[in-house]
């Protein structure tokens, strides 16, 4: 059975670190593909640019990588999907495939607060990327439901990309600093400048 990883996020914008992490996951977990799943415009997040541009930047960033794809499953929605609704859409669209949901360790806090926590913890498998000082193992141990389903959570260390964030990229672009080729692919940066995104 094929193994796919589904990497959700706003990708606002997509960075080299996002792509590197996806490629590392392909190798580390012997995945057939990692599929980026950008959130739609209904997602409540400050500074979120139009989904069309975020999708296009992901297409540019993953061009040439046979193991990486993008899904528009959360786009063109009239409301924000819950995590469970998004997972259910993915399950329906990708049948007969072993699926892993790639999340940052900070998303475990959101999961704990979800009314769907029990279903999310029991039914799905996760690759949890460590972020900053957030300790994924401690969060899992501190919650009874997560702890009971600990076998569904695979922790991935992330020392290489810990300092890279889309938030910092946006701050730099908004302040007029476009010298970001260490963080953004050149083609992605060109797209941002051409379309005058992030007040660029």
């Amino acid at each position: 059975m094929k193994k796919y990883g589904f990497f959700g996020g706003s990708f606002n914008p997509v960075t080299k670190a996002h792509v590197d992490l996806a490629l590392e996951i392909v190798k580390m977990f012997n995945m057939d593909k990692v599929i980026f799943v950008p959130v739609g415009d209904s997602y409540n997040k400050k500074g979120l640019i139009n989904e069309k541009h975020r999708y296009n930047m992901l297409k540019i960033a993953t061009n040439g990588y046979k193991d990486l794809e993008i899904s528009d499953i959360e786009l063109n929605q009239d409301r924000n999907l819950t995590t469970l609704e998004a997972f259910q859409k993915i399950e329906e669209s990708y049948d007969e495939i072993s699926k892993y949901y790639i999340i940052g360790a900070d998303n475990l806090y959101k999961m704990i607060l979800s009314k769907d926590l029990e279903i999310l913890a029991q039914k799905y498998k996760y690759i949890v990327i460590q972020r900053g000082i957030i300790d994924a193992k401690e969060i899992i141990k501190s919650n009874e439901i997560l702890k009971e389903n600990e076998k569904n959570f695979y922790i991935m260390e992330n020392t290489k990309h810990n300092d890279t964030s889309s938030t910092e990229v946006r701050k730099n672009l908004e302040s007029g600093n476009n010298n970001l080729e260490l963080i953004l692919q050149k083609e992605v940066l060109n797209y941002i400048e051409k379309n005058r995104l992030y007040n660029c």
Side-chain angles (χ1 to χ4, degrees):
M1 184 181 286
K2 289 187 175 181
K3 287 169 64 176
Y4 281 16
F6 293 86
F7 194 171
S10 55
F11 306 109
N12 188 37
V14 59
T15 67
K16 285 182 177 180
H18 289 131
V19 175
D20 287 349
L21 278 168
L23 292 170
E24 285 171 27
I25 287 168
V26 167
K27 288 181 183 176
M28 193 178 296
F29 295 91
N30 197 27
M31 295 280 172
D32 291 282
K33 284 186 188 299
V34 165
I35 299 177
F36 289 92
V37 188
V39 298
D41 286 344
S42 300
Y43 187 74
N44 185 21
K45 190 169 186 177
K46 186 180 177 183
L48 189 68
I49 65 164
N50 185 277
E51 60 188 33
K52 176 191 76 174
H53 290 305
R54 291 181 287 109
Y55 182 85
N56 287 343
M57 286 188 285
L58 278 165
K59 290 288 281 184
I60 292 167
T62 57
N63 184 39
Y65 295 105
K66 62 180 177 60
D67 303 328
L68 305 182
E69 286 184 9
I70 307 105
S71 167
D72 63 359
I73 212 161
E74 288 195 49
L75 308 185
N76 303 306
Q77 303 290 324
D78 56 6
R79 64 175 179 84
N80 183 43
L81 300 178
T82 66
T83 301
L84 181 57
E85 287 172 334
F87 285 8
Q88 287 170 337
K89 283 176 75 72
I90 289 169
E91 295 287 323
E92 289 166 11
S93 299
Y94 294 88
D95 200 16
E96 302 298 322
I97 287 168
S98 181
K99 291 170 279 291
Y100 294 76
Y101 293 90
I102 302 162
I103 62 173
D106 52 326
N107 284 304
L108 289 173
Y109 291 125
K110 295 177 187 175
M111 189 183 293
I112 288 169
L113 296 174
S114 170
K115 64 180 175 59
D116 302 315
L117 171 61
E118 201 158 352
I119 300 171
L120 291 171
Q122 289 176 356
K123 191 173 179 182
Y124 305 103
K125 292 177 284 191
Y126 301 88
I127 295 169
V128 184
I129 302 168
Q130 291 278 44
R131 293 196 68 177
I133 60 170
I134 300 171
D135 190 331
K137 291 177 184 175
E138 284 302 314
I139 298 171
I140 292 167
K141 285 178 183 176
S142 67
N143 181 273
E144 189 177 333
I145 293 172
L146 293 184
K147 191 174 180 180
E148 284 174 5
N149 297 280
E150 195 171 0
K151 68 181 189 308
N152 289 335
F153 295 84
Y154 303 83
I155 312 299
M156 179 180 175
E157 298 299 327
N158 178 30
T159 52
K160 186 178 174 184
H161 307 295
N162 241 339
D163 298 330
T164 305
S165 81
S166 294
T167 304
E168 289 303 312
V169 172
R170 291 196 303 276
K171 283 180 182 175
N172 275 281
L173 289 167
E174 286 164 6
S175 67
N177 177 17
N178 292 14
N179 187 24
L180 295 167
E181 287 192 15
L182 290 177
I183 302 171
L184 299 178
Q185 292 178 5
K186 186 177 179 181
E187 294 81 5
V188 170
L189 188 53
N190 288 342
Y191 182 90
I192 289 169
E193 290 172 344
K194 180 183 176 182
N195 290 279
R196 299 182 177 179
L197 306 178
Y198 311 107
N199 299 323
C200 190

